[in-house]
Amino acid sequence: MLNEIGTVKPIHEGSHLFHEGDDANEIYLIKSGQIQISKLTADGKELLLRVCNSGDIVGELILFSDNATYFLSAEIIYSGEVIMLNKERIEKELLSNPSLALEFMKWEADHMRKFQTKIRDLLLNGKKGALYSTLIRLSNSYGVIHPKGILINMAFTNRELARFCAATRESINRMLSQLKKWDVISIEKDGRILIKNSKFLRDEIGCEYCSIDICNIN
C-alpha cells in the first residue's frame, strides 16, 4: 500500500535526504541504497544512530506533529531510490486503515526498543560501552562466520565508528588498539573487523542477549 500511495525518488551518494531542523512534509521508504541517520549533540559532535537499508522507513518521527521539522539528519551513503510519502496522506491512511496502523505501531515499538538499548549502552557504560555494543550490533547486522570468530563483512573507518559513539577518532583508536592487544579483535588488511571474543564484549557491557531483531545497527 505504501508503494501505491508514494512517489519514487532517486537518491545520490554524498547528498542528504533531509537535515535536522528542515521543515518536514514527507517520510521515506527505502527501496534501494543505504542511508545513515544522525543527530548533532549539544557540543557539536555527531551521533550516528542508524544505518538504514532497503525496506526501512526514515523520517517517521514527524507524523501527527504540527509545524513538523526533522529531528535527525539523513545522509545518503549508497545511491538508490526511496518512496516519498506525503505526511498528511500517510496520517489519513493510518487513521482510516486499522491494519496499517497496527503494523506501523508494531514497527515503531521495535524501533523504540532498539533506540533505548543504544542510549542505555552509551549512558551506563560511556564511550567504551558504546563502542563495544556497536561492534556487537555490527556483527549481528553484517557478521559472517569465520574460523577465528565473527567477521564484520563491511569496512568501517575509525571516524565512522566514532560517530556511532559520539566520540573522537583518537579515543576510538586507543580502545581498538587495546582490544587488539587483548586479542579480542583483529583488523583485516581491507579494514574489516574480526571479533575473536564476542563474549568479552558482551560481559563488559552487561549484555542482555536481546534478539538480533533488536540488537542490530538499524
Side-chain angles (χ1 to χ4, degrees), residues 80-120:
E81 291 182 331
V82 296
I83 297 174
M84 188 167 60
L85 300 157
N86 178 266
K87 175 180 180 291
E88 293 184 0
R89 175 72 185 277
I90 195 66
E91 287 173 348
K92 290 178 181 177
E93 292 290 346
L94 288 169
L95 290 172
S96 63
N97 187 331
S99 296
L100 176 65
L102 177 60
E103 289 302 317
F104 194 88
M105 288 172 63
K106 288 163 62 178
W107 177 86
E108 188 71 16
D110 286 343
H111 178 59
M112 187 57 62
R113 286 179 64 195
K114 294 178 186 179
F115 180 73
Q116 287 174 340
T117 58
K118 292 174 184 177
I119 297 301
R120 175 202 64 194

XYZ file of all heavy atoms in Angstrom, residues 80-120:
346
model
N 20.497 5.082 -4.668
C 19.389 4.160 -4.855
C 18.101 4.912 -5.089
O 18.096 5.978 -5.726
N 17.005 4.385 -4.526
C 15.695 5.015 -4.676
C 14.927 4.922 -3.360
O 15.100 3.974 -2.592
C 14.868 4.320 -5.757
C 15.382 4.524 -7.173
C 14.496 3.850 -8.202
O 13.850 2.827 -7.865
O 14.447 4.341 -9.349
N 14.101 5.934 -3.109
C 13.185 5.910 -1.978
C 11.774 6.167 -2.490
O 11.579 6.718 -3.575
C 13.542 6.967 -0.902
C 14.890 6.670 -0.284
C 13.512 8.379 -1.490
N 10.801 5.726 -1.711
C 9.411 6.075 -1.974
C 9.046 7.220 -1.041
O 9.117 7.084 0.177
C 8.475 4.874 -1.760
C 8.820 3.762 -2.746
C 7.014 5.289 -1.918
C 8.061 2.480 -2.524
N 8.709 8.362 -1.624
C 8.386 9.561 -0.859
C 6.895 9.548 -0.516
O 6.044 9.446 -1.407
C 8.755 10.795 -1.673
C 8.647 12.100 -0.941
S 9.465 13.445 -1.856
C 8.535 13.412 -3.398
N 6.587 9.631 0.783
C 5.205 9.543 1.253
C 4.809 10.857 1.912
O 5.446 11.300 2.874
C 5.067 8.394 2.257
C 5.433 7.005 1.718
C 5.810 6.072 2.857
C 4.280 6.434 0.929
N 3.769 11.484 1.392
C 3.297 12.743 1.948
C 2.804 12.558 3.369
O 2.055 11.623 3.676
C 2.176 13.297 1.061
C 1.596 14.590 1.604
O 0.604 14.570 2.317
N 2.229 15.712 1.287
N 3.225 13.443 4.265
C 2.886 13.344 5.683
C 1.374 13.319 5.913
O 0.855 12.444 6.632
C 3.514 14.522 6.429
C 3.160 14.626 7.917
C 3.839 15.832 8.544
C 3.505 15.975 10.029
N 2.092 16.353 10.242
N 0.632 14.233 5.318
C -0.809 14.291 5.531
C -1.503 13.062 4.975
O -2.450 12.533 5.574
C -1.383 15.569 4.907
C -0.920 16.837 5.598
C -1.578 18.073 5.005
O -2.391 17.917 4.060
O -1.291 19.183 5.494
N -1.028 12.585 3.826
C -1.646 11.412 3.202
C -1.447 10.169 4.077
O -2.397 9.399 4.292
C -1.038 11.189 1.818
C -1.519 9.925 1.103
C -2.954 10.062 0.620
N -3.455 8.837 0.046
C -3.242 8.447 -1.219
N -2.514 9.204 -2.039
N -3.761 7.324 -1.674
N -0.241 9.975 4.567
C 0.009 8.776 5.375
C -0.716 8.867 6.715
O -1.187 7.847 7.250
C 1.532 8.550 5.564
C 1.805 7.122 6.065
C 2.145 9.545 6.501
C 1.470 6.044 5.102
N -0.873 10.069 7.264
C -1.639 10.217 8.508
C -3.097 9.820 8.300
O -3.697 9.135 9.133
C -1.544 11.663 9.001
C -0.181 12.024 9.585
C -0.048 13.496 9.921
O -0.928 14.287 9.494
O 0.930 13.859 10.590
N -3.682 10.236 7.171
C -5.073 9.866 6.867
C -5.207 8.359 6.704
O -6.185 7.753 7.158
C -5.538 10.588 5.598
C -5.732 12.087 5.777
C -6.147 12.750 4.474
C -6.321 14.254 4.652
N -6.671 14.914 3.357
N -4.232 7.743 6.036
C -4.273 6.296 5.839
C -4.187 5.556 7.175
O -4.875 4.559 7.401
C -3.139 5.847 4.921
C -3.259 6.316 3.480
C -4.376 5.626 2.728
O -4.887 4.605 3.218
O -4.754 6.120 1.644
N -3.341 6.043 8.073
C -3.199 5.404 9.378
C -4.479 5.518 10.203
O -4.849 4.601 10.941
C -2.030 6.027 10.147
C -0.624 5.680 9.636
C 0.426 6.563 10.313
C -0.301 4.208 9.880
N -5.190 6.647 10.065
C -6.433 6.847 10.813
C -7.578 6.007 10.259
O -8.488 5.619 11.001
C -6.819 8.332 10.796
C -5.928 9.270 11.622
C -6.293 10.727 11.354
C -6.057 8.958 13.109
N -7.542 5.720 8.971
C -8.658 5.017 8.331
C -8.395 3.537 8.084
O -9.310 2.795 7.736
C -9.004 5.695 6.999
O -7.908 5.611 6.092
N -7.139 3.099 8.247
C -6.778 1.715 7.941
C -6.213 1.051 9.198
O -5.023 1.166 9.491
C -5.741 1.699 6.807
C -5.437 0.303 6.317
O -5.522 -0.664 7.067
N -5.053 0.202 5.050
N -7.072 0.351 9.978
C -6.607 -0.250 11.241
C -5.452 -1.233 11.064
O -4.553 -1.279 11.911
C -7.858 -0.959 11.771
C -9.005 -0.277 11.112
C -8.513 0.127 9.753
N -5.453 -2.010 9.986
C -4.383 -2.988 9.769
C -3.050 -2.292 9.573
O -2.025 -2.700 10.134
C -4.706 -3.867 8.554
O -5.869 -4.627 8.788
N -3.053 -1.218 8.779
C -1.826 -0.450 8.557
C -1.365 0.203 9.854
O -0.178 0.190 10.186
C -2.054 0.612 7.477
C -0.873 1.548 7.206
C 0.314 0.786 6.639
C -1.287 2.670 6.251
N -2.320 0.772 10.605
C -1.975 1.435 11.859
C -1.352 0.452 12.845
O -0.379 0.771 13.534
C -3.217 2.081 12.474
N -1.901 -0.781 12.906
C -1.365 -1.789 13.813
C 0.051 -2.178 13.422
O 0.939 -2.263 14.287
C -2.265 -3.019 13.807
C -1.809 -4.203 14.667
C -1.702 -3.787 16.134
C -2.745 -5.391 14.502
N 0.288 -2.412 12.136
C 1.628 -2.779 11.678
C 2.621 -1.654 11.945
O 3.765 -1.897 12.337
C 1.605 -3.114 10.182
C 0.907 -4.407 9.846
C 1.531 -5.597 10.547
O 2.783 -5.680 10.593
O 0.781 -6.436 11.065
N 2.177 -0.414 11.756
C 3.060 0.730 11.990
C 3.388 0.855 13.474
O 4.532 1.140 13.846
C 2.416 2.010 11.474
C 3.374 3.161 11.373
C 4.124 3.358 10.229
C 3.548 4.046 12.431
C 5.020 4.410 10.125
C 4.444 5.091 12.342
C 5.183 5.274 11.183
N 2.407 0.612 14.343
C 2.637 0.678 15.790
C 3.621 -0.398 16.225
O 4.500 -0.147 17.065
C 1.308 0.523 16.536
C 0.396 1.733 16.434
S -1.246 1.425 17.130
C -0.835 1.128 18.846
N 3.500 -1.600 15.664
C 4.422 -2.682 15.999
C 5.830 -2.333 15.539
O 6.814 -2.545 16.267
C 3.953 -3.984 15.341
C 2.707 -4.561 15.987
C 2.017 -5.590 15.110
C 2.888 -6.784 14.828
N 2.167 -7.795 14.003
N 5.943 -1.795 14.324
C 7.254 -1.408 13.807
C 7.859 -0.295 14.662
O 9.043 -0.322 15.001
C 7.119 -0.933 12.360
C 8.402 -0.440 11.779
C 9.387 -1.166 11.179
C 8.862 0.927 11.772
N 10.422 -0.347 10.793
C 10.130 0.928 11.147
C 8.322 2.132 12.220
C 10.864 2.095 10.963
C 9.056 3.283 12.046
C 10.311 3.259 11.427
N 7.031 0.673 15.047
C 7.509 1.806 15.856
C 7.959 1.331 17.241
O 8.957 1.822 17.788
C 6.398 2.843 15.991
C 6.829 4.151 16.634
C 7.719 4.982 15.738
O 7.773 4.729 14.520
O 8.382 5.892 16.270
N 7.244 0.355 17.813
C 7.618 -0.167 19.125
C 8.976 -0.865 19.061
O 9.826 -0.689 19.944
C 6.547 -1.138 19.628
N 9.210 -1.656 18.014
C 10.506 -2.319 17.836
C 11.614 -1.284 17.658
O 12.709 -1.422 18.217
C 10.468 -3.253 16.627
C 9.684 -4.519 16.908
O 9.455 -4.825 18.088
O 9.297 -5.208 15.943
N 11.326 -0.258 16.880
C 12.304 0.799 16.633
C 12.656 1.518 17.935
O 13.827 1.820 18.194
C 11.731 1.784 15.614
C 12.618 2.947 15.313
N 13.894 2.799 14.812
C 12.436 4.279 15.465
C 14.446 4.000 14.657
N 13.582 4.892 15.060
N 11.666 1.769 18.786
C 11.918 2.453 20.053
C 12.756 1.581 20.983
O 13.630 2.066 21.701
C 10.593 2.826 20.718
C 10.738 3.687 21.960
S 11.650 5.235 21.639
C 10.550 6.028 20.450
N 12.524 0.270 20.979
C 13.322 -0.633 21.809
C 14.791 -0.602 21.372
O 15.697 -0.589 22.214
C 12.772 -2.058 21.706
C 11.467 -2.285 22.446
C 10.973 -3.708 22.266
N 11.882 -4.671 22.846
C 11.842 -5.976 22.578
N 10.960 -6.446 21.705
N 12.687 -6.797 23.160
N 15.019 -0.588 20.068
C 16.391 -0.502 19.565
C 17.044 0.788 20.039
O 18.192 0.792 20.505
C 16.402 -0.543 18.034
C 15.950 -1.850 17.420
C 15.956 -1.735 15.901
C 15.371 -2.957 15.236
N 15.349 -2.830 13.764
N 16.324 1.881 19.911
C 16.869 3.185 20.294
C 17.188 3.233 21.780
O 18.236 3.734 22.196
C 15.866 4.281 19.916
C 16.325 5.669 20.255
C 17.329 6.285 19.506
C 15.772 6.362 21.313
C 17.761 7.564 19.815
C 16.192 7.640 21.627
C 17.187 8.238 20.876
N 16.298 2.680 22.592
C 16.505 2.702 24.043
C 17.741 1.903 24.446
O 18.482 2.310 25.346
C 15.264 2.157 24.751
C 14.082 3.108 24.718
C 12.815 2.498 25.282
O 12.682 1.276 25.372
N 11.866 3.332 25.660
N 17.975 0.759 23.783
C 19.147 -0.036 24.137
C 20.435 0.685 23.752
O 21.434 0.597 24.466
C 19.111 -1.418 23.464
O 19.046 -1.271 22.032
C 17.913 -2.221 23.938
N 20.420 1.410 22.637
C 21.613 2.165 22.230
C 21.920 3.282 23.229
O 23.073 3.474 23.625
C 21.416 2.751 20.826
C 21.361 1.705 19.726
C 21.030 2.332 18.391
C 20.867 1.267 17.311
N 20.478 1.837 16.005
N 20.895 4.012 23.617
C 21.091 5.095 24.584
C 21.506 4.528 25.939
O 22.362 5.088 26.630
C 19.808 5.936 24.709
C 19.483 6.599 23.368
C 19.958 6.982 25.797
C 20.574 7.502 22.835
N 20.934 3.381 26.332
C 21.315 2.735 27.590
C 22.809 2.421 27.616
O 23.511 2.700 28.592
C 20.516 1.452 27.771
C 20.904 0.625 28.990
C 20.485 -0.827 28.816
N 21.201 -1.449 27.698
C 20.850 -2.618 27.136
N 19.788 -3.259 27.573
N 21.550 -3.117 26.130
